[in-house]
Structures are given as C-alpha cells and as structure tokens.
Amino acid sequence: METNWNWAAGAAIVSLILTVAAMPRIISYFRREQLGQVTREEGPAWHAVKSGTPTMGGVGFLLASVAATIAVSLVSDTLTTRTWMLVFIVGLYGTLGFLDDYIKLVMKRNLGLTSRQKFMGQVIGGILFMLVHQWAGFSTELYLPFIGTIDSVWLYGIFAVIWLVGFSNAVNLTDGLDGLVAGTGTIAYVAYAAIAWMQSDWDIVVFAVSVAGGLIGFFMFNKKPAQIFMGDVGSLALGGGLAAMSLLLSQEWSLLLIGLIFVVETASVILQVASVKLRDKRIFKMSPIHHHFEMSGWSEWRVVLTFWAVGLIAAVGTFFFLQ
C-alpha cells in the first residue's frame, strides 16, 4: 500500500514539475506568435483587459499529465486498459479543443470548429470509448433512481456517451475566470483519486493525481491576473477525463456532486437560454452563472474562491453517498 502511494505521489510531482517547466516556454511562444484570447463582446466589460492573454495553456498540463501517467504506470506495473482509455479520452477531447482554439487564433476564424463538428467528434470518441469498455468486459450495470440497477449494454452505452459529452462541455462552460477551472478541476480529480484508492484501483489513482499535479502547476500561471488561459484544449479534456473516471469506477452518479459546480454552470446556461426564448426575460444578469455574480458586484477572486469552496464541500459530501 505504501509503495503504491509513493508511486502516486511521484506521478503528481512529475506532472507538476513538467508543467511548471513547460509553461514559461509556452507562454513566451504564444506571446511571440500573438496567439492571445479574444474577449467576447457580450462578456463583462472589465474582461476587456484580458484580450491578448495567451491561451491554449491546456496543452502544457495535458502533455505533462499524460507523460507522467504513462511513465509512472509503466515503472509501477499499473498500466492497464483503463489507463489507455483515460489517456485516449483526454487526448481526443483535448485534440478537439486544440483544433477549435487553433482555428480561432491561427486561422483567424472566430467561431473555430462548428458546434456540429465538435459535438460529432465528442460523440465518436464516446462510442469508441464504449467499444473498448465492452471489449474489455467492464461492468455495464447502471443504477437508476427509483427504478433500480439495470444491466444493459445499449442503455449503458447511450448513458456513457451522454455523460462524456455532457461533462466535457460543462467544464468548458465553467472556464471563464482566472483559476476557476484549475481549482475546481484539481478538487474533482483529487476526489476521484480518493475514490479509486478506496476501491484499490491504482491505475486510476495514478491518472487522477497526475492530472491534479498538472493542474496545480498550471494554476501558478493561471491565477489572477492570468498569464495564460487553458483554452478549449484543456477544459474539454478535463471534463471528458472526469466522466471517464466515474464510469470506469462504477461511480457514475458521484460526478453530479463532485462536479456540482460544472452542473450548476451548465444548468444556468440552459435555463437562461430557455427563459429568453420562452419568456423573453433573463433569469440571470449573465450566464454562465459565474458572470452573474460578477455583474452583481462580486470580485473575480470572490467568485472563484466561493466556487472552489462549494466544489470542495460537495466533493467531500460525496463520500457519504458512495455505493
């Protein structure tokens, strides 16, 4: 047990060091190439000062996390099919995010990938994930509230794809303030590392702490005032990784609490859009909801710290409801 924890700690440290070493070079390159964030016109006016800040920083911590995961898994003999499935999801979703960012910043097409292109890429990734899941013989039992546990490949497959796509986009929506996703993402990945440890799933522990270590390293450059943003390349991958871990640990519904902030952010957008279309009225001053609090007079740091606190309380509370 102690040896396993040593390897896990090593994975987190390696990922953190690689990220910290890479980020200054990435920031310098992006600044030199003028690959900076373009602030949305409909966003808060005070965010205009962030225009030009380098983005796509997720490349740094993702590569560091994947490298640490594979390297430590190899030497600790914890490299499994599940490890490759997790690496595949964050790699594919990260690639989709990278293409989206690249088209916006390098090719100067403001919309990047179309919503349809991005969605189809995420769905295809989810289907491939489930094909391997089925090939490996992993559990397809799914607990449905008020109904019970159902074991159906088709039901589980549909649920898994929705889960992967939904939470990938949920984290993407949350990434709007300096340090917000770096902090909430770290809390969520540490929570799943703890669940994996409780279930003795050390392959998933190594992956989870590797990503957490990378996020902590990234936060050093993403805290307010951010020197770099993670971009879609980071946020889409993080959400996909969280959903994949919840599926592989057979703790699917835990993500509703561990990822509570991501759920609330997404719900705020859905409610806002529905209200405007049906009632021609807004529920929030601006969505996602972190902008509502900003528009209400909260400082950016106050919003970020409050969301971190809520995310931490929800993550800790999850352990009282684990199956």
Side-chain angles (χ1 to χ4, degrees), residues 19 23 57-58 61 182 214-222 228-230:
T19 302
M23 289 315 303
F61 71 77
L215 280 171
I216 292 171
F218 176 73
F219 175 72
M220 297 179 186
F221 304 90
N222 182 240
I228 190 168
F229 303 133
M230 70 169 59

Side-chain angles (χ1 to χ4, degrees), residues 61-205:
F61 71 77
L62 277 183
L63 291 176
S65 300
V66 168
T69 295
I70 295 175
V72 173
S73 295
L74 280 170
V75 297
S76 63
D77 197 27
T78 55
L79 185 66
T80 66
T81 299
R82 294 191 301 188
T83 304
W84 289 117
M85 291 172 71
L86 290 167
V87 168
F88 166 74
I89 280 296
V90 297
L92 177 62
Y93 284 14
T95 299
L96 288 172
F98 176 83
L99 290 173
D100 191 40
D101 291 331
Y102 183 86
I103 292 170
K104 292 175 186 175
L105 300 173
V106 179
M107 299 179 67
K108 307 301 181 184
R109 281 171 45 190
N110 291 338
L111 296 179
L113 291 175
T114 65
S115 297
R116 180 182 176 84
Q117 289 171 331
K118 195 185 300 183
F119 176 74
M120 288 306 299
Q122 291 171 311
V123 169
I124 290 171
I127 292 173
L128 292 174
F129 178 90
M130 274 310 301
L131 288 175
V132 177
H133 187 283
Q134 180 61 19
W135 168 80
F138 296 140
S139 174
T140 53
E141 290 187 351
L142 180 65
Y143 172 76
L144 297 177
F146 311 111
I147 297 177
T149 301
I150 297 177
D151 190 353
S152 167
V153 173
W154 287 105
L155 175 63
Y156 193 86
I158 293 170
F159 172 85
V161 172
I162 293 173
W163 215 236
L164 289 162
V165 175
F167 274 96
S168 176
N169 289 315
V171 175
N172 183 240
L173 287 172
T174 306
D175 184 29
L177 300 179
D178 297 356
L180 178 55
V181 168
T184 51
T186 299
I187 292 168
Y189 272 85
V190 169
Y192 275 113
I195 293 175
W197 164 71
M198 291 169 61
Q199 298 183 182
S200 298
D201 292 314
W202 287 99
D203 49 353
I204 297 179
V205 172

